[in-house]
């Protein structure tokens, strides 16, 4: 039976960063993911915002990690060669009654140590973002807000962890965990594994994974959000725009993504099928978007999608607002219900868990750890497969070499299929290349 120091369960962004940070220590680590590829769960569908940190209660773990995580994003993305845009954000309100709330957020942000926050008049906000509908009552400007592609960041952390000798176990589902005298016995649908510590980052299933071995007083209530993606040619704000929720309805968020598309999000769906969009939700989102940006051309929507949100609650149904990290027994760590701003804090949470685990296992720093990872470079291969995004056959082959096993996996590594035709012209050709690689023709 295989024995390792640490088993990380879940290959979303949190598991990938936990694994990467564990490799800074002289520990043997496996990452167990039930899907054939990583970052296909919550990490696949979210708002891609690197939050500034004014939204979280002063003194909370969220506030501390968000401000620290945000400040380290430039260095992190440089190390992992992932595009990051520190575009700033405006929280806008059209409702004079909400101005006091904006001021409270500003004060909270100052207490949290968020740099550069400014309260703006409506006129100042409209001058900064001329696409906004007239009548802004006031805004909170946060220059440190940014955007990053969540799955690119997770994949980069995973690749870096693997380059530092983390062992991935993909397509492997954890079905049981037992406490033993040497640590834990992790049972999967393929084999059993001994480990000295477990880090549970199983996203939507994290409460159930903990319950395989220990009771959990935290449970997840799943709801969802819906999104629209506009073509790169669409007019877009320069900054992330958060519309403050007000008496006449919930606000929406507009995100100018690092790839150049505009992402719109806003409608919270009740518990149901969180990964499915609804006709009503999408139509409400479109209506809200046009009332916030009257010149937005909704004909330029190229895609809609839905996301699942794990909302942590105590046994009695009371919501948990801070990040919930459980230690049910020595050497067992669970991240249960890490929703927004989990992307912003992924590296900080991973570092925290790795340090706790290293202390528990009495590990020493790994002198061979290399933090740098190389992105897939543009090749000069003249054979362009994705015409919209200009992705060559060479880049697709490199994505497959790095672990992409589906058209979606290739897309998440090189951006094929993300253009205006949404893969209708290249998906078949990419499938063909995947088949050729599997059959050994390439
Ligand atoms: C709608 C929405 C918008 C968000 N927007 C933002 C944002 O703009 N900025 C921000 O900072 N944060 C944001 N977040 C938060 C952030 O996206 C999450 O905190 C983060 O993606 C969670 O990652 P994860 O690794 O916990 O989960 P996941 O990505 O779901 O990964 C968990 C993995 O565990 C695997 N798994 C489950 N069960 C098993 C098993 N039995 N065996 C093996 N593997 C298993 C799953 O297959 C999955 O791959 C948002 C979240 C949501 C829901």
């Amino acid at each position: 039976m295989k024995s390792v120091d640490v088993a990380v369960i879940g290959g979303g962004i949190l598991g990938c960063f936990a694994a990467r940070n564990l490799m800074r220590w002289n520990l043997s680590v496996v990452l167990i993911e039930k899907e054939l590829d990583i970052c296909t769960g919550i990490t696949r569908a979210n708002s891609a915002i690197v939050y500034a940190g004014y939204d979280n209660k002063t003194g909370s773990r969220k506030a501390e990690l968000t401000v620290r995580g945000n400040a380290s994003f430039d260095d992190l993305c440089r190390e992992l060669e992932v595009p990051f845009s520190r575009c700033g954000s405006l929280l806008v309100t059209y409702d004079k009654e909400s101005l006091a709330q904006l001021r409270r957020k500003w004060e909270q942000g100052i207490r949290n140590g968020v740099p550069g926050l400014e309260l703006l008049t409506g006129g100042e906000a409209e001058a900064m973002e001329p696409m906004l509908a007239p009548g802004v009552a006031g805004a909170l400007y946060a220059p440190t807000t940014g955007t990053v592609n969540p799955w690119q960041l997770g994949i980069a952390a995973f690749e870096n962890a693997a380059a530092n000798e983390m062992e991935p176990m993909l397509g492997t589902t954890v079905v049981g965990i037992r406490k033993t005298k040497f640590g834990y016995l992790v049972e999967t649908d393929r084999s059993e594994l001994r480990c000295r510590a477990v880090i549970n980052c199983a996203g939507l299933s994290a409460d159930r994974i903990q319950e395989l071995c220990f009771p959990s007083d935290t449970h997840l209530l799943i709801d969802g959000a819906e999104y629209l993606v506009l073509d790169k040619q669409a007019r877009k704000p320069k900054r992330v725009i958060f519309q403050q929720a007000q008496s006449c309805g919930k606000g929406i968020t507009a995100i100018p993504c690092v790839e150049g598309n505009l992402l719109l999000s806003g409608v919270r769906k009740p518990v149901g099928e969180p990964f499915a969009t609804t006709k009503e939700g999408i139509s409400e989102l479109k209506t809200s978007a046009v009332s916030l940006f009257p010149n937005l051309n909704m004909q330029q929507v190229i895609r809609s999608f839905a996301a699942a949100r794990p909302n942590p609650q105590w046994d009695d149904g009371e919501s948990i607002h801070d990040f919930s990290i459980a230690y049910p027994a020595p050497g067992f760590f669970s991240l249960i219900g890490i929703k927004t701003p989990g992307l912003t804090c992924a590296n900080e949470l991973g570092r925290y868990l790795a340090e706790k685990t290293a202390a528990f296992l009495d590990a020493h720093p790994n002198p061979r750890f290399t933090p740098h990872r190389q992105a897939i470079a543009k090749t000069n291969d003249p054979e362009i497969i994705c015409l919209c995004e200009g992705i060559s056959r060479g880049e697709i082959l490199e994505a497959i070499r790095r672990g992409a096993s589906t058209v979606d996996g290739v897309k998440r590594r090189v951006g094929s299929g993300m253009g205006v035709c949404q893969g209708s012209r290249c998906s078949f050709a990419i499938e063909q290349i995947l088949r050729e690689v599997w059959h050994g023709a390439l």
Side-chain angles (χ1 to χ4, degrees), residues 8-12 31-38 40-41 169-175 189-190 202 204-205 208-209 275:
V8 177
I9 304 174
L31 183 147
I32 309 173
E33 167 53 53
K34 72 178 164 61
E35 303 298 335
L36 289 170
D37 200 358
I38 50 159
T40 62
M169 294 172 69
L170 304 182
T172 305
T173 304
V174 171
V175 293
D189 57 348
R190 295 174 167 223
L204 299 173
S205 312
R208 278 168 283 145
I209 288 290
F275 275 121

Side-chain angles (χ1 to χ4, degrees), residues 41 49 64 113 161-162 169 210 224-225 239 246 263 267 338 349 369 392 408 440:
I49 300 167
E64 184 197 330
M169 294 172 69
Q210 177 159 316
R239 299 164 188 82
Q246 48 205 48
L263 182 65
V267 186
I338 305 292
L349 284 165
F369 177 78
S392 69
D408 194 52

